[in-house]
Amino acid sequence: MTSLENPNPCAIIYEDDFVYACLADYPLSKGHSIVVWKKPIPDLHLLNPKDYEHLMETVEKVRNALMKTLKVEKVYLMYMDEIKHVHWHLIPRYSTMGFNLLKHKPKKIHSYNLAKTLQVSINK
């Protein structure tokens, strides 16, 4: 998984003062991205409503860019808080559906070229 405190700069899709989005280092599918709240907050319920809204607006921007760029109909949103740092996984669905996607054995990503394409799509 991508280090949430120190993401690979080549993987960054979007960034502002509060949140960043990047491609996952070990994706479950092509385009698997992570949207991370920069300040270490251990759980979603600890974000104030304004911050939560900003986070989810960013998730939506990245989701829409993934759907448009990768021409997929569905992007799964997955939130797990085991590492105690608010972040969402956005996992494009291709032919594998539901929990079967989680059975994939992710491999280290070798090219971050998709990040630049997604940056353009988000900023349109």
Side-chain angles (χ1 to χ4, degrees):
M1 184 169 113
T2 300
S3 167
L4 298 184
E5 291 81 26
N6 191 22
N8 181 332
C10 296
I12 298 292
I13 298 167
Y14 174 84
E15 186 170 18
D16 64 29
D17 291 340
F18 305 101
V19 68
Y20 73 84
C22 67
L23 293 175
D25 284 337
Y26 289 87
L28 289 170
S29 69
K30 179 182 177 184
H32 177 172
S33 301
I34 304 169
V35 176
V36 180
W37 192 255
K38 287 182 175 181
K39 183 178 176 186
I41 303 288
D43 194 78
L44 277 175
H45 78 280
L46 298 173
L47 288 173
N48 68 50
K50 181 180 174 188
D51 289 344
Y52 179 80
E53 184 177 330
H54 181 75
L55 172 67
M56 297 314 294
E57 286 173 357
T58 304
V59 166
E60 185 175 356
K61 282 182 198 177
V62 174
R63 177 186 165 274
N64 290 344
L66 287 166
M67 291 175 71
K68 180 179 177 183
T69 301
L70 300 173
K71 299 181 181 6
V72 294
E73 292 183 17
K74 180 74 85 177
V75 173
Y76 291 126
L77 304 180
M78 188 167 63
Y79 174 80
M80 297 184 297
D81 64 354
E82 280 81 8
I83 64 168
K84 306 298 182 204
H85 190 137
V86 169
H87 68 288
W88 284 92
H89 287 263
L90 286 72
I91 308 167
R93 183 187 81 193
Y94 296 93
S95 59
T96 304
M97 296 174 66
F99 290 110
N100 289 328
L101 186 62
L102 299 177
K103 295 178 184 177
H104 287 211
K105 297 202 188 286
K107 294 182 180 164
K108 177 90 170 113
I109 193 171
H110 294 290
S111 170
Y112 293 96
N113 291 336
L114 179 58
K116 291 179 183 177
T117 306
L118 291 168
Q119 286 173 1
V120 170
S121 183
I122 287 172
N123 291 318
K124 281 188 178 179

Coordinates of all heavy atoms in Angstrom, one line a residue, residues 27-34 66 70 72 74-78 88-94 101-102:
P27 N -2.1 -1.9 -6.7 CA -3.5 -1.8 -7.1 C -4.2 -3.1 -7.2 O -3.6 -4.1 -7.6 CB -3.5 -1.1 -8.4 CG -2.1 -1.4 -9.0 CD -1.2 -1.5 -7.8
L28 N -5.5 -3.1 -6.8 CA -6.4 -4.3 -7.0 C -6.9 -4.3 -8.4 O -7.3 -5.4 -8.9 CB -7.5 -4.3 -6.0 CG -7.2 -4.5 -4.6 CD1 -8.3 -4.2 -3.6 CD2 -6.7 -6.0 -4.4
S29 N -6.9 -3.2 -9.1 CA -7.3 -3.1 -10.5 C -6.6 -1.9 -11.1 O -6.2 -1.0 -10.3 CB -8.8 -3.1 -10.7 OG -9.3 -1.9 -10.2
K30 N -6.6 -1.8 -12.4 CA -6.0 -0.6 -13.0 C -6.7 0.7 -12.6 O -7.9 0.7 -12.7 CB -6.0 -0.7 -14.5 CG -5.4 0.5 -15.3 CD -5.5 0.3 -16.8 CE -5.0 1.6 -17.5 NZ -5.2 1.5 -18.9
G31 N -6.0 1.6 -12.1 CA -6.6 2.9 -11.7 C -6.9 3.0 -10.2 O -7.4 4.0 -9.7
H32 N -6.7 1.9 -9.5 CA -7.0 1.9 -8.0 C -6.3 3.1 -7.4 O -5.1 3.3 -7.5 CB -6.5 0.6 -7.4 CG -6.6 0.4 -5.9 ND1 -6.3 -0.7 -5.3 CD2 -7.0 1.3 -5.0 CE1 -6.5 -0.6 -4.0 NE2 -6.9 0.7 -3.8
S33 N -7.1 3.9 -6.8 CA -6.6 5.2 -6.2 C -6.9 5.3 -4.7 O -7.8 4.6 -4.3 CB -7.2 6.4 -7.0 OG -6.8 6.3 -8.3
I34 N -6.2 6.2 -4.1 CA -6.4 6.4 -2.7 C -6.6 7.9 -2.5 O -5.8 8.7 -3.0 CB -5.3 5.9 -1.8 CG1 -5.0 4.4 -2.1 CG2 -5.5 6.1 -0.3 CD1 -3.7 3.9 -1.5
L66 N -11.9 8.8 -12.8 CA -11.6 7.3 -13.1 C -12.6 6.8 -14.1 O -12.2 6.1 -15.0 CB -11.6 6.5 -11.8 CG -10.4 6.8 -10.9 CD1 -10.7 6.2 -9.5 CD2 -9.1 6.1 -11.5
L70 N -11.1 5.8 -17.6 CA -10.9 4.3 -17.8 C -12.1 3.7 -18.5 O -12.1 2.5 -18.8 CB -10.7 3.7 -16.5 CG -9.4 4.2 -15.8 CD1 -9.3 3.6 -14.3 CD2 -8.2 3.8 -16.6
V72 N -15.1 3.0 -17.3 CA -15.7 1.9 -16.5 C -17.1 2.5 -15.9 O -17.2 3.7 -15.8 CB -14.8 1.5 -15.3 CG1 -13.6 0.8 -15.8 CG2 -14.5 2.7 -14.4
K74 N -18.4 1.5 -13.0 CA -18.5 1.4 -11.6 C -17.1 1.6 -11.0 O -16.1 1.0 -11.5 CB -19.1 0.1 -11.1 CG -19.2 -0.2 -9.7 CD -20.3 0.6 -9.0 CE -21.6 -0.1 -9.2 NZ -22.7 0.5 -8.5
V75 N -17.0 2.4 -9.9 CA -15.8 2.5 -9.1 C -16.2 2.2 -7.7 O -17.1 2.9 -7.1 CB -15.1 3.9 -9.2 CG1 -14.0 4.0 -8.2 CG2 -14.7 4.1 -10.6
Y76 N -15.7 1.1 -7.1 CA -16.0 0.8 -5.7 C -15.3 1.8 -4.8 O -14.1 2.1 -5.0 CB -15.6 -0.6 -5.4 CG -16.3 -1.7 -6.1 CD1 -15.7 -2.7 -6.8 CD2 -17.7 -1.8 -6.0 CE1 -16.4 -3.7 -7.4 CE2 -18.4 -2.8 -6.6 CZ -17.8 -3.7 -7.3 OH -18.5 -4.7 -8.0
L77 N -16.0 2.2 -3.7 CA -15.4 3.0 -2.7 C -15.3 2.1 -1.4 O -16.3 1.5 -1.0 CB -16.4 4.2 -2.3 CG -16.7 5.1 -3.5 CD1 -17.6 6.2 -3.0 CD2 -15.5 5.7 -4.1
M78 N -14.1 2.1 -0.9 CA -13.8 1.2 0.3 C -13.1 2.1 1.4 O -12.1 2.7 1.1 CB -13.0 0.1 -0.1 CG -12.8 -1.0 0.9 SD -12.1 -2.5 0.3 CE -10.5 -2.0 -0.2
W88 N -9.8 6.9 1.7 CA -10.7 6.0 0.9 C -9.9 5.4 -0.2 O -9.1 6.0 -0.8 CB -11.8 6.9 0.2 CG -12.9 7.3 1.1 CD1 -12.9 8.5 1.9 CD2 -14.1 6.6 1.4 NE1 -14.1 8.5 2.6 CE2 -14.8 7.4 2.3 CE3 -14.6 5.4 1.0 CZ2 -16.1 7.0 2.8 CZ3 -15.8 5.0 1.5 CH2 -16.6 5.8 2.4
H89 N -10.3 4.1 -0.5 CA -9.8 3.4 -1.7 C -10.9 3.5 -2.8 O -12.0 3.2 -2.5 CB -9.5 1.9 -1.4 CG -8.3 1.7 -0.5 ND1 -7.1 1.4 -1.0 CD2 -8.2 1.8 0.8 CE1 -6.2 1.3 0.0 NE2 -6.8 1.5 1.1
L90 N -10.5 3.9 -4.0 CA -11.4 3.9 -5.1 C -10.9 2.9 -6.1 O -9.8 3.0 -6.6 CB -11.4 5.3 -5.8 CG -12.2 6.4 -5.0 CD1 -11.4 6.8 -3.7 CD2 -12.4 7.6 -5.9
I91 N -11.7 1.8 -6.3 CA -11.2 0.7 -7.1 C -12.1 0.5 -8.3 O -13.3 0.1 -8.2 CB -11.2 -0.6 -6.2 CG1 -10.5 -0.3 -4.9 CG2 -10.7 -1.8 -7.0 CD1 -10.7 -1.4 -3.8
P92 N -11.6 0.8 -9.5 CA -12.4 0.6 -10.7 C -12.8 -0.8 -10.9 O -12.0 -1.7 -10.6 CB -11.5 1.1 -11.8 CG -10.5 2.0 -11.1 CD -10.3 1.4 -9.8
R93 N -14.0 -1.0 -11.3 CA -14.5 -2.4 -11.6 C -14.5 -2.6 -13.0 O -15.1 -1.9 -13.8 CB -16.0 -2.6 -11.0 CG -16.4 -4.0 -11.3 CD -17.9 -4.2 -10.9 NE -18.6 -3.8 -12.1 CZ -19.9 -3.6 -12.0 NH1 -20.6 -3.7 -10.9 NH2 -20.6 -3.2 -13.1
Y94 N -13.8 -3.7 -13.4 CA -13.8 -4.1 -14.8 C -14.7 -5.4 -14.9 O -15.9 -5.3 -14.7 CB -12.4 -4.4 -15.3 CG -11.6 -3.1 -15.3 CD1 -10.8 -2.8 -14.2 CD2 -11.6 -2.2 -16.3 CE1 -10.0 -1.6 -14.1 CE2 -10.8 -1.0 -16.3 CZ -10.1 -0.7 -15.2 OH -9.3 0.4 -15.2
L101 N -13.1 -9.1 -6.2 CA -12.0 -8.1 -6.5 C -11.0 -8.1 -5.4 O -9.8 -8.0 -5.6 CB -12.6 -6.7 -6.7 CG -11.7 -5.7 -7.2 CD1 -11.1 -6.0 -8.6 CD2 -12.4 -4.3 -7.3
L102 N -11.4 -8.3 -4.2 CA -10.5 -8.3 -3.0 C -9.6 -9.5 -3.0 O -8.7 -9.6 -2.2 CB -11.3 -8.1 -1.7 CG -12.1 -6.9 -1.6 CD1 -12.9 -6.9 -0.3 CD2 -11.2 -5.6 -1.7

